[in-house]
Amino acid sequence: MKKITYLSLFIGIFLVSCAKVDPVTGEKILIETNPQAKAKKFSEERGGLFGAIGAKSSTNNVEFSNSNPLWRATLKSLDFLPLLNADYSGGIIIYDWYSQSNNPKEQIKISVQFLSNELRSDSIKISAHKKICESIDRCSNSTLDQNFANSIKDSIITSARTIKIEEAKKEKK
């Protein structure tokens, strides 16, 4: 009789410990073990592989899309640079090292961080670095002066204003 009591107590504790509890509401969350059902539930809640395209986000994250004039202006203004990484939801574009053909020992790398959707100069932050290589194994990196970053920012803001004006003209038609 004692063994059955201990066994049922152990099974009860084991089953309770398998349940997940929401730390905010304290409600028990059932864990789905079937992978197909789990995938279906995830796609219904979060919009599948590409997220909920076109849906409004309820979070406070700044979301960027192809319709954002700052995003498009940045891609247009810096299209000569090789693109390393672009993250719409994170609001960052990182370009790879670039050198002009007449000076292959000097390279620049630019990163653009979007701080808001508004078309203002403080909505984007430009980081620019320079690499000078004397040989393959002897390179030095440095941050470029703020004037260079500001000239890139001004170019992007000007291009974004042009894009926004063109969009406004199209909407009036």
Side-chain angles (χ1 to χ4, degrees), residues 14-26:
F14 178 74
L15 290 176
V16 170
S17 66
C18 289
K20 197 175 184 183
V21 177
D22 187 338
V24 176
T25 62

Side-chain angles (χ1 to χ4, degrees), residues 97 107-109 127-132 139-145:
W97 290 105
Q107 297 179 338
I108 62 167
K109 184 173 187 170
S127 300
H129 294 81
K130 184 177 188 178
K131 177 168 64 171
I132 301 173
C139 295
S140 63
N141 293 337
S142 62
T143 304
L144 285 169
D145 65 340

Side-chain angles (χ1 to χ4, degrees), residues 3-171:
K3 287 184 180 180
I4 294 175
T5 306
Y6 287 126
L7 182 62
S8 62
L9 181 64
F10 175 74
I11 291 173
I13 291 172
F14 178 74
L15 290 176
V16 170
S17 66
C18 289
K20 197 175 184 183
V21 177
D22 187 338
V24 176
T25 62
E27 296 177 0
K28 288 186 180 179
I29 301 170
L30 298 176
I31 300 171
E32 182 63 56
T33 57
N34 182 352
Q36 284 83 12
K38 196 175 194 178
K40 184 177 179 183
K41 182 180 177 187
F42 182 82
S43 68
E44 288 171 355
E45 289 176 356
R46 300 204 177 114
L49 181 63
F50 297 108
I53 297 173
K56 298 283 184 184
S57 175
S58 61
T59 63
N60 290 334
N61 294 340
V62 177
E63 289 198 18
F64 297 92
S65 65
N66 202 25
S67 64
N68 184 312
L70 279 174
W71 184 270
R72 290 184 9 214
T74 302
L75 293 174
K76 181 181 175 184
S77 299
L78 300 175
D79 66 344
F80 63 94
L81 294 173
L83 187 63
L84 183 64
N85 189 5
D87 183 2
Y88 292 119
S89 62
I92 191 161
I93 300 174
I94 302 171
Y95 291 93
D96 206 356
W97 290 105
Y98 170 79
S99 65
Q100 294 180 338
S101 58
N102 62 354
N103 193 2
K105 292 184 179 184
E106 283 188 14
Q107 297 179 338
I108 62 167
K109 184 173 187 170
I110 296 174
S111 299
V112 182
Q113 182 180 7
F114 298 86
L115 305 174
S116 80
N117 283 330
E118 297 176 26
L119 188 55
R120 300 186 335 210
S121 63
D122 61 344
S123 295
I124 58 175
K125 178 183 173 187
I126 309 289
S127 300
H129 294 81
K130 184 177 188 178
K131 177 168 64 171
I132 301 173
C133 295
E134 294 175 24
S135 64
I136 294 174
D137 59 342
R138 291 191 55 193
C139 295
S140 63
N141 293 337
S142 62
T143 304
L144 285 169
D145 65 340
Q146 197 58 39
N147 291 334
F148 181 78
N150 286 339
S151 66
I152 292 172
K153 184 190 293 189
D154 292 342
S155 171
I156 291 170
I157 296 293
T158 302
S159 181
R161 285 188 184 125
T162 304
I163 289 171
K164 193 161 187 161
I165 290 169
E166 290 172 1
E167 286 177 353
K169 286 179 182 177
K170 286 179 184 178
E171 288 177 6

